[in-house]
Amino acid sequence: MADDLNPPLDIYDEAADAVAEPEPEPEPEPPEDHAEDQPRPFNLENARVTDLLYSDPPARRWIVQELLPMDVAGILAAAGGTGKSMATLQLAVSVATGIPWLNMEISEPGSVLMLSAEDDRDEVHRRLARIMEHYQSDLAGSDEAGFQRYRDAVSRNLYVFDRVGADNRLTVKQNGETQRTALARDIADAAAPLDDLKLIVLDPLSRFDGGEPNDNSDGTRLIEAAEAIRRHTGATVLLPHHVSKASIRDDDAGQEAVRGASGLVDGARWVGMMAGLKKSQAEQYGLDEDDAGRYVRFTTPMFNYGPPWEGVWLKRLAGGVLVPSELQPAKEQKKDKKADAEYQRILAGIVSLVRKHGPMSRKKIEQDYGGQSNILKAGEKSVRNAMTRAVEQGDLILIQRFDRHQHIAIPGEGVAKEAS
């Protein structure tokens, strides 16, 4: 294993030595100069970009298509009890099986290695059972045999280490300096036999941090340890983490809501956030206050690998499994209902005209029957938009008539009559 996974000093050996009787320190000898024998850390020839100029860059690889990249160190942050551990385990199952995660495509299924430092194996067992029950119901119903291949994939590809009560620090303070422990090397060693490893989860981040939570330097050292694991395994390293208490009250909080030093977030290459719907927000979404706790907003405040993502609402089902949900503010729901009612009214008018006069061109319907004072009682633009929507949804169809122009017709009905 490469040197950068080894700790600068072995904290366990040093602790043992501290208990033994100290020996007299020898007189220091002058350092010998072997600079000419050491490899240069910065070789200019290796740094040339000539090969980059005359070759195609590698395509970006994704775990979750256009959302979570391969080979990065990332953080998934949320308040306690929001469902981040369940969401993370659902992601692990999706990567292991190829089943979409929250309706999003898994680009590269493969093996997953999880270190669970907060939830013991029994709790993981309970959550995994609920996830598998949900996926079976969603994909195969009562067909147990049809779902067996997914169970086999989870059995083959998902590895969970119960690390509750163990020393999980990736970093530790020694003589005022934050040093890396042997754990990064141990994780990389455990992952070495997995040729198709795609994801490593260290849950939660706080159990792997041996520095001061609000110290930027310590936060950076922790991310560097995660990056060392990433670099030597080729997998994405995901660290579920908590948000600060102050941010829970801030509806507009972004990546600064992540608990701890800014160096922690700045060092990560991807940050996802989950925030529960507050009781005070329930009314604006047309919900009872008691139902607010079932909804969670998932966003990516730090995402530099593609277009901005607006996020998705998630709903917690019985047992805690998260599924995407269409949650809109009540005002937008009313607006959508009004727009849909107007569309249905215009559609009914067009259908009546086509049945009476036969298929007609869009232009004829729009100009001859549109307008607030005309038969359709709607402006020409509204009539045009209604026809476009109707054709897209299949409520109306386009046919080519004898004049070689496309005409609006009704699906499944005769079109022999020619419009006057």
Side-chain angles (χ1 to χ4, degrees):
M1 190 55 61
D3 290 340
D4 64 347
L5 280 175
N6 293 321
L9 53 88
D10 190 348
I11 62 169
Y12 305 108
D13 289 348
E14 184 173 279
D17 291 343
V19 177
E21 186 71 23
E23 297 181 0
E25 295 186 6
E27 291 293 328
E29 297 181 1
E32 297 183 18
D33 187 3
H34 295 294
E36 68 279 2
D37 300 329
Q38 301 299 322
R40 295 181 179 179
F42 298 104
N43 187 316
L44 288 177
E45 287 304 313
N46 293 340
R48 288 188 185 277
V49 298
T50 306
D51 61 318
L52 307 184
L53 295 172
Y54 295 99
S55 62
D56 294 329
R60 187 173 300 285
R61 297 169 60 195
W62 300 92
I63 293 182
V64 181
Q65 184 63 30
E66 300 295 332
L67 183 74
L68 179 60
M70 274 287 297
D71 199 17
V72 300
I75 295 173
L76 178 61
T82 304
K84 63 182 177 298
S85 291
M86 178 64 83
T88 302
L89 187 55
Q90 286 181 235
L91 173 61
V93 171
S94 289
V95 174
T97 60
I99 296 172
W101 181 56
L102 308 177
N103 286 353
M104 292 180 282
E105 177 188 352
I106 299 296
S107 296
E108 294 197 28
S111 296
V112 180
L113 191 67
M114 299 186 68
L115 276 69
S116 180
E118 198 167 60
D119 296 310
D120 62 21
R121 195 170 182 84
D122 286 344
E123 182 58 33
V124 172
H125 188 181
R126 286 186 282 269
R127 288 177 179 166
L128 181 60
R130 292 194 289 267
I131 291 170
M132 298 304 288
E133 288 171 3
H134 169 72
Y135 281 162
Q136 178 172 343
S137 174
D138 193 42
L139 296 173
S142 59
D143 184 8
E144 178 67 33
F147 191 70
Q148 186 58 42
R149 65 188 183 98
Y150 295 111
R151 293 188 182 276
D152 292 342
V154 173
S155 176
R156 183 173 61 249
N157 294 328
L158 179 56
Y159 301 83
V160 181
F161 287 101
D162 182 347
R163 296 286 298 178
V164 175
D167 187 345
N168 295 295
R169 291 174 296 174
L170 285 169
T171 59
V172 67
K173 283 279 193 181
Q174 287 288 332
N175 301 322
E177 296 291 332
T178 302
Q179 307 285 356
R180 194 177 303 166
T181 71
L183 185 61
R185 181 189 61 207
D186 294 341
I187 294 172
D189 287 345
L194 303 176
D195 294 333
D196 62 344
L197 182 64
K198 299 299 191 297
L199 178 65
I200 297 175
V201 178
L202 308 179
D203 185 18
L205 178 151
S206 59
R207 299 293 180 101
F208 296 86
D209 184 8
E212 294 294 332
N214 295 314
D215 187 296
N216 280 322
S217 178
D218 290 355
T220 301
R221 300 291 85 77
L222 178 62
I223 289 295
E224 287 175 350
E227 287 176 338
I229 298 171
R230 170 199 66 76
R231 188 152 57 88
H232 286 270
T233 61
T236 284
V237 178
L238 186 63
L239 300 107
H241 191 34
H242 292 90
V243 296
S244 65
K245 292 182 179 179
S247 70
I248 297 175
R249 298 185 293 272
D250 185 356
D251 296 339
D252 299 319
Q255 66 189 58
E256 70 281 358
V258 178
R259 182 186 295 177
S262 60
L264 183 68
V265 177
D266 293 342
R269 297 294 84 201
W270 183 92
V271 175
M273 283 191 62
M274 298 171 61
L277 182 67
K278 300 180 179 64
K279 288 187 175 182
S280 60
Q281 298 172 310
E283 185 176 355
Q284 75 179 82
Y285 287 94
L287 299 171
D288 293 334
E289 287 189 0
D290 292 341
D291 291 330
R294 299 173 63 189
Y295 292 91
V296 177
R297 185 70 177 171
F298 174 38
T299 58
T300 51
M302 178 184 282
F303 178 64
N304 300 323
Y305 304 99
W309 184 54
E310 63 180 8
V312 63
W313 278 106
L314 305 174
K315 183 178 181 179
R316 285 196 280 194
L317 304 180
V321 175
L322 294 157
V323 297
S325 175
E326 295 291 337
L327 190 61
Q328 287 183 309
K331 289 183 179 179
E332 291 185 16
Q333 293 178 31
K334 291 179 181 178
K335 184 178 178 180
D336 288 348
K337 288 181 180 179
K338 183 178 179 181
D340 191 62
E342 178 69 357
Y343 164 74
Q344 294 295 340
R345 187 188 67 77
I346 297 173
L347 175 63
I350 294 173
V351 168
S352 178
L353 288 170
V354 172
R355 283 176 174 160
K356 182 177 181 181
H357 300 292
M360 290 180 280
S361 68
R362 296 191 194 205
K363 185 175 182 180
K364 182 177 180 63
I365 295 174
E366 181 182 324
Q367 293 183 349
D368 290 4
Y369 301 104
Q372 292 294 339
S373 60
N374 217 325
I375 291 176
L376 293 177
K377 303 295 183 185
E380 292 183 8
K381 182 178 180 182
S382 296
V383 173
R384 181 166 62 252
N385 291 341
M387 287 189 287
T388 299
R389 176 178 170 181
V391 171
E392 290 176 350
Q393 294 182 177
D395 295 329
L396 296 172
I397 59 173
L398 289 174
I399 62 171
Q400 187 167 312
R401 300 294 286 167
F402 305 114
D403 58 5
R404 296 184 180 180
H405 293 145
Q406 288 187 326
H407 289 60
I408 291 288
I410 303 169
E413 296 194 8
V415 294
K417 182 184 288 187
E418 188 71 51
S420 57

